[in-house]
Amino acid sequence: MRCNFLDYETAENKIKEIIDSKAPDILQKVVDFFYYKFENYSWVGIYVVEGDDLVLGSWTGLKATDHIRIPIGKGICGSAASTGKTEIVPDVGADDRYLSCFFSTKSEIVVPIKRDGKIIAEIDIDSDIKNAFTNEDKLFLEKIADMLAKHI
Ligand code: SME
């Protein structure tokens, strides 16, 4: 069941537990956790940098995306990968860069994952609600991105 009962601090601690468990599928467990515990998060994926592209790794959502490889510089994902800055798009219909994956998506956040200052991956979350992502989501997800950097 999907729910929205966790505050960000509790969620951060739960994700720490997942990472500390040293399970072989940490990234999948983390995207699943986001998806099941934050009901605004409709699709959650981790793209990994491979050469000049972003390649989809672990993901959770109702449907698979066709965008399993995105050139750096293209789309919201590619923009975040080229600037290294978190992208919040409150209304995907109003952003020309947006690469559409799901008809239901209304807003998106993309958070780069960096190791030693280099962008190695990113967390991409779609929401079926406009304006779903707040500055709190951004700060929370940036912390998690730092925590995941060692595990990509
Ligand atoms: N919307 C993204 C593409 C990835 S899907 O959201 C899963 C973009 O504009 O880069």
Side-chain angles (χ1 to χ4, degrees):
M1 193 182 79
R2 304 189 62 204
C3 50
N4 212 8
F5 63 87
L6 287 184
D7 60 85
Y8 292 96
E9 200 184 329
T10 309
E12 192 186 324
N13 288 332
K14 295 271 180 204
I15 289 172
K16 265 190 200 134
E17 278 173 29
I18 294 172
I19 292 174
D20 290 346
S21 76
K22 299 201 166 65
D25 52 351
I26 282 173
L27 298 178
Q28 187 63 47
K29 286 199 159 86
V30 169
V31 294
D32 288 346
F33 180 85
F34 284 143
Y35 178 74
Y36 286 105
K37 299 298 181 192
F38 289 83
E39 65 181 2
N40 281 354
Y41 296 4
S42 309
W43 186 93
V44 183
I46 294 180
Y47 284 89
V48 178
V49 174
E50 267 187 37
D52 293 333
D53 293 334
L54 291 158
V55 176
L56 184 60
S58 301
W59 66 272
T60 302
L62 289 181
K63 287 188 198 148
T65 174
D66 289 338
H67 294 294
I68 53 172
R69 184 176 280 270
I70 300 172
I72 292 176
K74 291 261 187 266
I76 312 299
C77 288
S79 296
S82 48
T83 63
K85 295 213 169 85
T86 296
E87 290 278 354
I88 293 183
V89 179
D91 175 4
V92 294
D95 194 316
D96 289 343
R97 299 169 303 169
Y98 176 66
L99 297 172
S100 174
C101 287
F102 314 109
F103 184 67
S104 54
T105 299
K106 300 283 189 297
S107 59
E108 181 167 10
I109 187 168
V110 182
V111 181
I113 299 176
K114 298 175 200 166
R115 196 195 296 140
D116 302 327
K118 200 171 156 238
I119 300 150
I120 54 167
E122 59 188 30
I123 304 167
D124 176 24
I125 305 179
D126 284 22
S127 178
D128 291 350
I129 298 165
K130 259 191 201 174
N131 288 308
F133 302 104
T134 63
N135 196 47
E136 258 192 307
D137 289 283
K138 175 178 182 282
L139 297 175
F140 164 65
L141 292 167
E142 286 175 348
K143 264 195 205 165
I144 305 301
D146 282 349
M147 286 160 57
L148 290 179
K150 281 187 255 145
H151 303 277
I152 304 290

